[in-house]
Amino acid sequence: MPDQISGITAKEAGSSPDVNNEVDAEAFQSMLLKGGLMLMQSMQSDATDALSDNTSNPDAPF
C-alpha cells in the first residue's frame, strides 16, 4: 500500500538508488584521479630535474 505522504511503496524505496552515495563515489573518484595525476606530474618533474642536473655537468656523480 503506498504511503499517502510520499506516494512511494516499500518496494520502490528499496530498489531506488541512493543518490548521496553516488555523488560521494563520484567525488571520491575525481579526488583519486586528481591525486594520481599530481603524483605523476611530480615524478615527471623530479626526473626532468635530475636529468637536466646531470647533463649540465657530465662529470658530476649521481
Side-chain angles (χ1 to χ4, degrees), residues 12 19 22 25-26 28 36 46 54 56 61:
E12 290 172 352
V19 178
E22 291 178 5
E26 287 180 15
F28 182 68
D46 291 346
N54 288 329
S56 63

Side-chain angles (χ1 to χ4, degrees), residues 19-41:
V19 178
N20 288 335
N21 281 345
E22 291 178 5
V23 171
D24 290 344
E26 287 180 15
F28 182 68
Q29 185 177 11
S30 175
M31 182 182 66
L32 281 180
L33 180 62
K34 287 179 184 176
L37 290 174
M38 288 173 58
L39 177 65
M40 289 177 62
Q41 184 178 17

